[in-house]
Every structure is written in C-alpha cells, then in structure tokens.
Amino acid sequence: MSFRSDFLWGGATAANQCEGAFDLDGRGLANVDVIPWGEDRWMVVTGEKKMFEFDETHIYPATHGIDFYHHYKEDIALFAEMGFKVYRMSLAWSRIFPNGDEAEPNEAGLSFYEDVFRECHKYRIEPLVTITHFDIPMHLVQAYGGWRNRAMIDFYKNLTRTIFERYQGLVHYWLTFNEINVLLHAPFMGAGICVEEGEDRFKVLYTAAHHELVASAWATKIAHEVDPENKVGCMMNAGTFYPQSCNPKDVLLAQQKNRENYFFVDVQSRGYYPSYVLKEFERHGFEIPSQDDDLRILREHTVDFVSFSYYSTKTVSADPSKMTGTNNLMSTAENPYLKTTEWGWIVDPLGFRITLNEIYDRYQKPLFVVENGLGAKDEVREDGTIEDDYRIDYLRDHIKAMKDAVEIDGVDLLGYTTWGPIDLVSASSGEMSKRYGFIYVDCDDFGNGSYARSRKKSFTWYKNVIQSNGENLD
Ligand code: BGP
C-alpha cells in the first residue's frame, strides 16, 4: 500500500467554469463573467484589453458554464457514484458579496453553497473549498482597481470571516487563492488588474502580490480562530522548469523561473520574503508596500499544507528564440523528449514525480495535488458511449508517478483531485470542447445543448482507482 488509508481522492472544479446562473439570486457581476470566448480572450485575461461589459459581438462562456447551479445534486450524486472522498470547488465571491465591499452578505448566495456542502456530506464527501478561483466582483475592479488596492485585504477578510463562521463544521479544508502565481501572467483573470500605460508593471503586480499574500495570511489566522479544525492551504500553478541544456546559462534561468513561481509559496509557507526576491525588489526600486503588522501576520500565519496544480513541466532556454510555446499560461521551449496534447500542452508524468519531490523538499509540509488532467476532444458514438482511453492513459501514467513519489521517495501526500471530473469551460481558451471530465456534458462552445450528463469510459476506471486506493490502475 502506498497511499495513506484516508487518502482524499476526488475531483476539482471552479465556480466560474461550471456554475452559470451568473445573474441569479442576487449574484453580482465578476471579472470572469466578462472574459469572452474567441480571439480577444487572451488580451482580456492579461488585462491588455479592457472589456468590462458584455457586448453583442462576443460569447461569454462563464455566464452559462455547465449550469452546475441547477444540476449540482445530480453532479454530486455522480461524484459519489465514483466514490469521491473529496470535492474541490470554489465560491463565487460575487454570489456572497455582490459588490464585494458591502458589510452584509447576500443570504441567497450563502445558502446556495450551504446546500452544496450538505449535499456532499450526504455522501460523506468532504468539500475542499477554494475561496477565490480567479474571480473578483467587478465592482471591486472598477471602483478599486482589483488587488493593486490595499482595501482589498479588508474586503477579503470580511468574506473569509463570513464563510468560516457560516460553514463551520461543514468545511474543513480551505485554499485561499487558486494558482496565486498566475497573477503575474494573467493579471486581469488572476487579480482584476489592467496595467495602465506608463505604469511600472513590476511594481503594480508585486504590490498586488503583497496584498494577496497578506490577505491569505489573515484568512489563515481567521480560519484557525473560528475553528481550530480548519486546515488552510496555499495553491500554486506548478510544474518544474527544466533547463533545455546543461549550459549553465540555461540552468540558471531555470532556477530563476522556478523561483518566480515558488516566491508566493515561499512567503505563504515559510512566512517571510525570500532573499532572492528582496534583491530583485531592490534592483527595481520597489519597496514592499507593507503597513501595520503585515510582516508579523505573514510570519505567524503560515499555511497548514501546500497544494498545487500540475499539468506539465516547462523547459527554458537562455536563447529567447527557442521559447516558442505556451503551456498553461507560461512560456516554454520545446522539450524533444516529450509529446504534447491537442492543445500543445507538454505531457510529462515523470515530471510530476520530480515536481512533487521538489515542492516537498522545499517546504516539508503535507502536499495536496488539487488539479491534474487531460483536456481533449471527445467523440460521442451513435450509441452514446465515449471511449476516452487517451484520458485514462494520461491519468494512469500520472497516478503511477505520484505513487512513486509517495512510495519510493516518501512524499507526504494528503490527496489528489483531478481537474474537471465533469466537463466544464476551459480557463485558458473558454472552450467547452476542451474536455477533462469523467462525466460528459452535452453543451458546445456556444453554450448550445441539452446540458445532459453521461458517463464516459473513464468514469468506471476512476471508480476502480478510488475503490482500490490507487492500487488498481488497469
Ligand atoms: C488551471 C486552472 C483551472 C483549469 C486548468 C485547466 O490553470 O486553475 O481553472 O482551467 O488550469 O486549464 P484549461 O481550462 O485552460 O485547459
């Protein structure tokens, strides 16, 4: 046996990619709602193009998602059928505080999530809740400029105290910010920020980073005060950067790229700004916008566990002309030893083991893999079946590598949630046709379809994996 007996197997989703019902029951507009599908998407995600309102020429996939809002009972029942021990999901901030800066929450939003949690517990599924998964009430973007503004810390504190108190006993595992490091690459999606012309991008983004880090530490503090049983984790977009060659220039660059990502977790897990980043701040003439007792809060309220998403490793070369690809929002050079998916994402199961080891070596805290999976096009046969062997192969190889990290290398791992156990809207492309699920959803890129759910071949496969605690991967 390699995985602990209470290993938390399950799947992960995000509110903006599955809920839909964007304007129901008092929910306010969020940054993620106005990110369109199509060629403008990337520019909006990065904040290079400002599109703060809907227009008639675009499609907005988050507005419909997979209508989880109305299907959650059916979906959770299917997760239970697979034997899920945990369901990672996120809260839409603007469902709870429609504008973000109100003193009092929206009861309809709070009770929706309470119902979802109760439904999970009906099947003994433990909710693992991401407090913010790329979403911010649009009012906070327009009136405050998103996370560049220190006022966000107080709004976030209000949000977190409200949910910790309301869901006490129903939720024990929390993640403060999904893929916190993504704010450097996709500032509008990650932090509600559009860097204005003439502004110093570095300063704006690291100011926002400081605010998020302090907010995360406050949330950890409040979570523990409200209920000492609460476990709070940080969450990074992981995947080791390899040097493309043994040229020390490539090796040094790979180290720097890794640090750019680890910086966030270094602060959240160790409790202080690492020396390499302080030096970089100095070179940029940037002073940490620290006020009051920020540094003490960071130091005293570090996370209980470290979670991350893993899709692939990245490869870097000191020769910029070789950095030709993009892999899950980050640029990469080609790795001649590895294949890529239909969307050009590198597939590297051994890199998963390497990444798990690297993170565990660095932090020595329990880890939680909260995203991993293959986005692929699925074909529904005439008889309605979906033979997604490619997805099974991908997951089998990754689970094997994860098992080696635990069994051979001794990594302390709490659980594993695959990304998108049910098909949902893709974060990077906005497509529905980039599917990750064990459960198929009849909905196309334009939001058309019956939204009916059906089991793919991988559904039974994953059920057996869970039933055997990762021993039966055939
Ligand atoms: C992660 C995000 C998820 C998810 C996943 C897959 O970066 O946390 O929200 O979407 O990537 O990416 P995509 O949907 O772009 O295929």
Side-chain angles (χ1 to χ4, degrees):
M1 282 286 244
S2 65
F3 297 112
R4 48 206 294 164
S5 56
D6 56 354
F7 192 78
L8 292 166
W9 293 96
T13 63
N16 78 87
Q17 292 167 262
C18 72
E19 279 180 11
F22 80 104
D23 56 355
L24 287 192
D25 300 329
R27 182 186 179 283
L29 194 68
N31 61 333
V32 284
D33 299 333
V34 295
I35 301 178
W37 176 74
E39 57 180 26
D40 288 325
R41 187 173 180 88
W42 183 247
M43 301 275 280
V44 176
V45 157
T46 56
E48 283 157 62
K49 190 168 190 166
K50 265 193 193 170
M51 283 179 56
F52 287 179
E53 275 162 20
F54 297 128
D55 68 41
E56 279 165 14
T57 59
H58 289 88
I59 290 174
Y60 299 92
T63 58
H64 55 77
I66 54 162
D67 197 22
F68 176 82
Y69 197 73
H70 295 109
H71 287 77
Y72 73 89
K73 289 192 178 166
E74 181 186 350
D75 295 344
I76 293 169
L78 286 164
F79 298 157
E81 194 182 321
M82 277 187 279
F84 277 25
K85 314 276 183 225
V86 65
Y87 169 40
R88 175 181 174 228
M89 51 172 283
S90 79
L91 308 175
W93 187 342
S94 64
R95 239 182 241 298
I96 298 175
F97 287 96
N99 285 327
D101 58 358
E102 303 93 334
E104 295 306 318
N106 170 31
E107 175 53 33
L110 280 174
S111 66
F112 168 67
Y113 292 114
E114 185 177 333
D115 292 347
V116 172
F117 300 146
R118 291 200 185 280
E119 199 64 21
C120 289
H121 284 291
K122 208 166 111 183
Y123 303 101
R124 296 181 182 224
I125 296 174
E126 190 70 41
L128 162 61
V129 176
T130 318
I131 298 167
T132 49
H133 192 124
F134 297 152
D135 70 294
I136 302 167
M138 208 45 208
H139 172 71
L140 297 184
V141 173
Q142 288 181 291
Y144 300 88
W147 278 98
R148 66 166 74 221
N149 193 322
R150 188 173 173 90
M152 293 292 284
I153 299 175
D154 283 335
F155 304 142
Y156 190 82
K157 277 164 75 175
N158 194 25
L159 169 71
T160 53
R161 182 170 293 282
T162 305
I163 58 175
F164 296 148
E165 285 175 355
R166 174 66 177 250
Y167 304 130
Q168 188 182 349
L170 283 174
V171 180
H172 301 102
Y173 292 93
W174 301 92
L175 304 178
T176 52
F177 290 90
N178 180 64
E179 295 189 338
I180 188 164
N181 50 323
V182 155
L183 87 84
L184 298 180
H185 309 275
F188 182 69
M189 186 167 78
I193 289 176
C194 297
V195 180
E196 307 290 344
E197 221 174 286
E199 274 190 321
D200 183 328
R201 186 182 169 84
F202 185 95
K203 289 183 183 169
V204 172
L205 296 185
Y206 280 95
T207 297
H210 179 73
H211 295 152
E212 288 199 5
L213 291 168
V214 172
S216 173
W218 270 107
T220 310
K221 177 179 178 348
I222 300 167
H224 291 152
E225 277 166 10
V226 172
D227 184 352
E229 296 286 301
N230 274 330
K231 299 261 177 271
V232 184
C234 53
M235 196 299 193
M236 76 179 286
N237 176 323
T240 301
F241 284 89
Y242 298 148
Q244 205 187 30
S245 75
C246 52
N247 181 336
K249 287 184 181 165
D250 288 354
V251 178
L252 180 68
L253 185 62
Q255 186 177 57
Q256 288 165 343
K257 283 281 159 199
N258 281 315
R259 280 177 165 174
E260 191 178 282
N261 271 344
Y262 285 131
F263 152 66
F264 295 87
V265 184
D266 283 354
V267 179
Q268 289 172 298
S269 182
R270 295 166 169 170
Y272 56 91
Y273 276 80
S275 52
Y276 64 83
V277 95
L278 293 178
K279 282 287 176 195
E280 205 182 341
F281 287 175
E282 230 174 86
R283 285 191 293 278
H284 280 267
F286 174 70
E287 273 185 41
I288 303 171
S290 181
Q291 289 181 24
D292 312 327
D293 45 5
D294 283 8
L295 298 182
R296 184 179 62 80
I297 294 292
L298 288 176
R299 200 172 50 248
E300 291 178 2
H301 303 285
T302 56
V303 290
D304 301 307
F305 65 95
V306 174
S307 85
F308 60 95
S309 61
Y310 176 84
Y311 293 89
S312 67
T313 50
K314 273 80 67 179
T315 298
V316 292
S317 164
D319 172 358
S321 70
K322 291 191 176 157
M323 300 294 291
T324 49
T326 308
N327 217 95
N328 197 12
L329 311 170
M330 295 182 201
S331 51
T332 181
E334 198 188 320
N335 184 328
Y337 300 98
L338 301 171
K339 296 204 174 84
T340 57
T341 70
E342 283 172 271
W343 272 266
W345 289 23
I346 295 161
V347 178
D348 185 7
L350 193 55
F352 189 22
R353 178 173 168 191
I354 294 167
T355 301
L356 276 153
N357 273 289
E358 199 173 82
I359 299 177
Y360 190 58
D361 279 355
R362 200 171 177 110
Y363 302 114
Q364 296 285 298
K365 286 193 182 179
L367 305 188
F368 207 135
V369 177
V370 295
E371 284 184 36
N372 173 235
L374 173 72
K377 287 206 170 92
D378 289 326
E379 191 205 331
V380 186
R381 299 194 174 172
E382 266 181 32
D383 63 357
T385 58
I386 298 153
E387 305 277 316
D388 56 342
D389 293 279
Y390 37 88
R391 183 166 294 110
I392 295 174
D393 290 345
Y394 177 99
L395 291 171
R396 180 191 293 118
D397 291 347
H398 283 76
I399 294 174
K400 269 187 192 157
M402 175 170 81
K403 205 169 169 188
D404 288 346
V406 171
E407 204 168 73
I408 302 174
D409 308 325
V411 167
D412 182 9
L413 191 60
L414 297 173
Y416 173 77
T417 58
T418 63
W419 177 249
I422 181 165
D423 295 342
L424 37 64
V425 173
S426 155
S428 58
S429 75
E431 293 160 302
M432 262 310 294
S433 46
K434 189 180 185 190
R435 296 174 183 273
Y436 286 86
F438 304 116
I439 302 161
Y440 184 85
V441 179
D442 176 33
C443 166
D444 68 13
D445 288 340
F446 307 95
N448 300 318
S450 66
Y451 289 71
R453 278 61 171 152
S454 56
R455 297 164 186 78
K456 302 181 195 175
K457 184 175 178 182
S458 56
F459 185 97
T460 314
W461 175 82
Y462 195 47
K463 182 179 176 173
N464 291 332
V465 171
I466 298 177
Q467 214 163 42
S468 63
N469 199 22
E471 292 300 307
N472 179 3
L473 298 176
D474 297 330

